[in-house]
Amino acid sequence: GSRYPTRIAVASDGWTYVTDALAGSVFVYDEDLALKGEIKNIERPLGIAISQQGRLFVGDDGADCVKVFDLDGTPRRSIALGVEMPNDLTTDSDGNLYVADSKADRIRVFDIDGDWVRDIGAENVDAEDIDAEGIDGAPGVSELDNLPC
């Protein structure tokens, strides 16, 4: 099974998909959480998402792309346009893919066909630019002391 679980996604049928950045794989578990398979040959899988259309998206930090699979592990394509560190992924009801690209300080949005739509967010935001007042006039965040985990 997984040595270094990184991200997790659960399909509508209850099957669970877990990226493992050290193993270079996605481990697949059935609805009873019994290990059923492994999707291999992913250099450093980070983010993972499952679309309503039944596609599995895996952010590959080692290859600087998002790999697209059927839920049975069949590879479909890669999305690489300007993706540097696909740290987290999600999809919307139309099948658009949102990629949190941590190295490029942005969210990249791709349509259902894998074509780039737009970017969201600022580039090159430094930690010193973030405070309780927000980033460059954006809505601020509340200051919280000793927030329990």
Side-chain angles (χ1 to χ4, degrees):
S2 186
R3 297 182 315 196
Y4 188 77
T6 309
R7 302 281 190 282
I8 188 169
V10 180
S12 60
D13 62 2
W15 283 50
T16 302
Y17 298 78
V18 179
T19 59
D20 186 316
L22 291 182
S25 298
V26 174
F27 291 94
V28 182
Y29 300 87
D30 68 12
E31 63 276 359
D32 296 320
L33 299 179
L35 181 62
K36 290 298 183 180
E38 180 180 2
I39 302 169
K40 299 180 180 184
N41 299 319
I42 305 167
E43 289 183 43
R44 189 166 189 259
L46 293 179
I48 189 167
I50 299 170
S51 71
Q52 291 180 1
Q53 292 76 18
R55 292 284 190 244
L56 176 69
F57 298 91
V58 179
D60 189 342
D61 183 38
D64 296 332
C65 70
V66 175
K67 295 182 177 176
V68 185
F69 301 89
D70 288 335
L71 291 178
D72 66 3
T74 303
R76 288 293 169 195
R77 67 176 179 270
S78 292
I79 301 170
L81 182 64
V83 175
E84 296 179 46
M85 184 180 187
N87 195 28
D88 204 5
L89 313 174
T90 194
T91 61
D92 64 21
S93 60
D94 294 326
N96 294 312
L97 173 67
Y98 296 76
V99 180
D101 191 338
S102 298
K103 194 178 286 181
D105 301 323
R106 65 181 170 212
I107 308 297
R108 295 222 98 175
V109 183
F110 298 91
D111 67 17
I112 195 167
D113 296 318
D115 296 321
W116 176 78
V117 175
R118 69 177 187 270
D119 289 338
I120 302 168
E123 290 187 19
N124 302 319
V125 175
D126 295 321
E128 64 259 11
D129 296 332
I130 302 172
D131 60 22
E133 299 302 315
I135 303 171
D136 296 330
V141 295
S142 299
E143 290 189 46
L144 299 173
D145 292 326
N146 301 320
L147 182 64
C149 292

